[in-house]
Amino acid sequence: AEGRNALMLAAAAGANRALHALAGLRVPVATVDGGGNSALHHAVAGQASRETVEILLGMGVPIALRNADGLSAEELAFAQG
């Protein structure tokens, strides 16, 4: 979707070192792309590791945000199996 930022791209790729660097820069964590997806949505859609998800949660990425399809990141993860 349009509007992805560095945090979302790093999350989708499971690039944990990049996520730690972005955390140090205090990037905004509650942003969403054109489809309403947060970095956490991108992490689970990209099947990133548990560590990636934990880093994002530690950064304060909201877990309850819903995308344009009405799904939270948790629901998206369950839907993907």
Side-chain angles (χ1 to χ4, degrees), residues 6-7 9-11 13-25 27 55 59:
L7 184 66
L9 295 172
N16 295 341
R17 292 177 74 188
L19 290 174
H20 284 296
L22 291 167
L25 296 173
V27 297
I55 292 167
M59 292 174 70

Side-chain angles (χ1 to χ4, degrees), residues 21-73:
L22 291 167
L25 296 173
R26 297 183 182 205
V27 297
V29 297
T31 57
V32 296
D33 66 14
N37 295 298
S38 69
L40 200 52
H41 285 92
H42 285 282
V44 299
Q47 298 180 345
S49 70
R50 179 185 181 116
E51 180 183 358
T52 301
V53 171
E54 290 173 355
I55 292 167
L56 292 169
L57 293 175
M59 292 174 70
V61 175
I63 195 168
L65 287 176
R66 295 187 176 277
N67 64 15
D69 294 325
L71 297 174
S72 68

